[in-house]
Amino acid sequence: MDLTTQTLQQLQGRLRAKEITPTEIIEALAKRIEAVEPKIQALLDINLESALVAARAADVSLPLGGLPIAIKDVINTRGEPCTCGSQILKNYRAPYDATVIRKLKEAGAIPFTRTNMDEFAMGSSTENSSYHTTKNPWDTGRIPGGSSGGSAAAVAAREAIAALGSDTGGSIRQPAALCGCVGLKPSYGRVSRYGLVAFASSLDQIGPFAKSVGDCAMLLNAISGRDPMDSTSLDVPVPDFTASLAKDMKGVRLGVPKEYFIDGIAPEVRARVEEAMKHCQSLGAELVEISLPHTDYAVSVYYIIATAEASANLARFDGVRYGHRADAPKDLLDHYLRTRAEGFGPEVKRRIILGTYVLSSGYYDAYYLRAQKVRTLIRKDFSDAFQKVDAVICPTSPEPAFEIGDRTADPLRMYLADIFTIAANLAGICGISVPCGFAETGGKKLPVGLQFLAKELEEQKLLSIANAYETTTGWSKEVAPVG
Ligand code: GLN
């Protein structure tokens, strides 16, 4: 049997029944990587030796014992590279484990491979990676989404069983949708950000990519919880997210935001999402029209707040403490200027400039402060909606994967890829993307993602609803052709 086709839950059953060993799983993935990685380029580093050492020592009775997890190259793993897709961290090696990595290891999991990403998680296509563009396993002429495109493509191309990514404005859910896998953004504060290289600290969350909702729940169990090293992580109970995953939607009220079904959604995306809504009704859900009146402002507010926070967070890359350092600087200013000019790519520079501008004296009130006020209104839109409904149902991305190079010259069009995902980060709520069928273009099938959003800390409800959808449709089981 090809172990790379299995879910975490299936592999766990086989490991515990002693039908297979953790080493065999790593070897099967390594073989698969050798075969498809030249076409897909989902990875930045393959730490096979250390993974095999960990596999030999793995205790399969632990919650994730012996299970390999691919890691987005923005999460520190002791002794491994953590480039963030940037030249500025090209030769950096992490001196410590992020809390999520420590927790994965304590649960018995094996971090295996580092996945490609847009530089510092800024982008929607992985084209902003300074190393290479990852290809979509359903059509290698197209992007896999971003910024965690490497994680999504690795799972879809079966180079990984599951992966971690980070989501600041959609970077887990959008690539999951475009590659046909499941991607979960937990509520803000559910998962510690300690050891995640910060992009926008009030928006960033780490979350799982997997082949099933159940696998996402399993990973969320392992990575959640209060961490003294991250003061924004919440001190709330962590339920067993794999327990009580429903198979129907009896009594569930799903909100359909009227502002989300606008012109500009690809017709096939609209059609698949409408079919999915009907399917939810057949499972017992009631569809309720809701309004999220400040939706129009979400992208603008995001690009003020996220860039402001990024401009502050990226100040640490100064060539003094770590990372790239310019050769033979004339003086200190020349050292800073050339180090950062050489180390950062164009999108990162654009964000630093935008963020510095909106925070500068004279513009702070007009942009940053005002954006914070509108953020409060967006948050209130959702809290009002969740008085009436259990979850929101909508598309994850307005369109399927686009062609490589199609948007690189037009940053504003690229920013619109996240129009349906950004508000969840601004509001701090949780969201998941699950496969809901395909769009057909030029004889190729391109995955379409369905998004559910739920109130902050209601991951249990969110996963349950997504599980009911997934297990009564076959979409998550479709396998990418890789060609
Ligand atoms: N595409 C969005 C951006 O470029 C979101 C990225 C993310 O979630 N990290 O900012």
Side-chain angles (χ1 to χ4, degrees):
M1 170 202 314
D2 182 355
L3 297 180
T4 68
T5 61
Q6 302 276 290
T7 63
L8 292 176
Q9 288 178 319
Q10 289 168 329
L11 290 174
Q12 181 173 67
R14 292 180 197 281
L15 285 169
R16 289 185 177 170
K18 298 203 164 33
E19 288 167 29
I20 56 167
T21 65
T23 304
E24 285 164 11
I25 304 175
I26 302 282
E27 282 169 350
L29 289 172
K31 222 172 111 197
R32 177 75 184 162
I33 290 168
E34 217 177 288
V36 302
E37 180 60 8
K39 278 195 230 166
I40 302 297
Q41 294 192 282
L43 309 179
L44 288 172
D45 193 61
I46 305 166
N47 49 342
L48 181 58
E49 287 312 311
S50 65
L52 286 171
V53 171
R56 282 194 284 275
D59 174 354
V60 302
S61 68
L62 291 169
L64 294 172
L67 297 170
I69 312 294
I71 310 292
K72 184 178 181 181
D73 209 23
V74 69
I75 301 172
N76 282 277
T77 301
R78 191 186 161 90
E80 295 192 9
C82 186
T83 67
C84 301
S86 181
Q87 291 300 316
I88 211 158
L89 288 173
K90 191 171 179 183
N91 297 315
Y92 175 75
R93 287 212 170 238
Y96 69 104
D97 276 338
T99 297
V100 292
I101 300 296
R102 174 176 60 76
K103 282 174 172 266
L104 282 184
K105 288 179 177 172
E106 282 168 7
I110 303 167
F112 176 47
T113 75
R114 309 283 306 172
T115 62
N116 193 28
M117 56 183 284
D118 287 298
E119 186 174 1
F120 286 104
M122 299 172 184
S124 307
S125 67
T126 82
E127 290 166 298
N128 295 336
S129 165
S130 76
Y131 297 96
H132 49 245
T133 297
T134 298
K135 317 297 181 297
N136 192 309
W138 293 87
D139 177 353
T140 50
R142 291 174 188 266
I143 56 98
S147 63
S148 319
S151 291
V155 172
R158 297 188 281 117
E159 297 180 77
I161 308 295
L164 290 188
S166 64
D167 190 313
T168 306
S171 278
I172 293 176
R173 290 159 289 157
Q174 185 257 14
L178 271 41
C179 288
C181 45
V182 184
L184 170 73
K185 183 201 92 72
S187 311
Y188 187 75
R190 176 61 93 183
V191 177
S192 168
R193 293 179 294 110
Y194 177 69
L196 167 71
V197 178
F199 163 11
S201 308
S202 77
L203 302 160
D204 298 339
Q205 268 295 289
I206 296 170
F209 285 88
K211 292 174 194 157
S212 72
V213 173
D215 278 8
C216 280
M218 219 171 144
L219 281 171
L220 189 63
N221 276 355
I223 63 175
S224 294
R226 165 77 186 157
D227 174 15
M229 299 303 280
D230 172 5
S231 61
T232 65
S233 67
L234 296 170
D235 193 5
V236 290
V238 177
D240 178 358
F241 295 107
T242 59
S244 68
L245 291 175
K247 295 268 193 305
D248 66 44
M249 295 196 194
K250 291 207 182 74
V252 171
R253 291 167 66 84
L254 291 178
V256 183
K258 61 174 190 229
E259 293 81 1
Y260 280 39
F261 290 84
I262 42 167
D263 290 346
I265 303 187
E268 285 182 288
V269 170
R270 182 191 286 266
R272 293 300 91 78
V273 171
E274 283 172 358
E275 286 157 20
M277 293 193 307
K278 287 211 186 77
H279 182 77
C280 293
Q281 271 178 317
S282 76
L283 294 175
E286 185 189 339
L287 298 181
V288 183
E289 189 186 81
I290 56 161
S291 173
L292 299 169
H294 297 91
T295 295
D296 272 359
Y297 303 105
V299 172
S300 317
V301 166
Y302 172 86
Y303 277 96
I304 292 172
I305 293 174
T307 57
E309 294 183 13
S311 72
N313 276 328
L314 270 56
R316 73 194 62 176
F317 302 104
D318 57 7
V320 175
R321 284 157 295 184
Y322 35 65
H324 173 74
R325 177 180 292 184
D327 269 347
K330 282 203 307 284
D331 52 27
L332 186 63
L333 185 62
D334 185 46
H335 160 90
Y336 287 142
L337 292 179
R338 280 202 292 120
T339 293
R340 287 165 67 85
E342 290 163 12
F344 289 137
E347 183 61 27
V348 174
K349 287 177 185 156
R350 176 159 36 239
R351 305 263 180 133
I352 293 173
I353 292 168
L354 272 172
T356 307
Y357 178 78
V358 298
L359 287 175
S360 59
S361 99
Y363 296 101
Y364 183 93
D365 290 1
Y367 292 108
Y368 185 69
L369 198 64
R370 186 169 290 195
Q372 292 290 16
K373 290 180 183 166
V374 182
R375 178 177 186 173
T376 303
L377 296 175
I378 291 171
R379 200 187 292 257
K380 189 170 171 301
D381 282 357
F382 281 101
S383 56
D384 290 348
F386 291 131
Q387 305 262 331
K388 295 184 219 125
V389 297
D390 296 291
V392 168
I393 183 169
C394 60
T396 308
S397 162
E399 52 189 350
F402 48 87
E403 282 171 9
I404 291 171
D406 190 44
R407 306 280 148 96
T408 33
D410 188 349
L412 283 182
R413 263 181 84 208
M414 189 73 96
Y415 294 174
L416 290 174
D418 300 301
I419 190 157
F420 299 137
T421 48
I422 269 174
N425 302 74
L426 291 167
I429 61 175
C430 53
I432 193 167
S433 181
V434 287
C436 69
F438 295 93
E440 301 253 352
T441 321
K444 303 230 178 183
K445 295 204 298 186
L446 301 177
V448 176
L450 175 69
Q451 181 174 228
F452 293 106
L453 301 170
K455 203 170 153 190
E456 59 275 10
L457 297 177
E458 291 203 335
E459 281 87 353
Q460 239 176 333
K461 195 190 261 184
L462 181 74
L463 288 161
S464 197
I465 292 169
N467 188 69
Y469 178 78
E470 175 184 88
T471 52
T472 52
T473 59
W475 301 122
S476 294
K477 294 200 170 71
E478 298 267 343
V479 179
V482 185

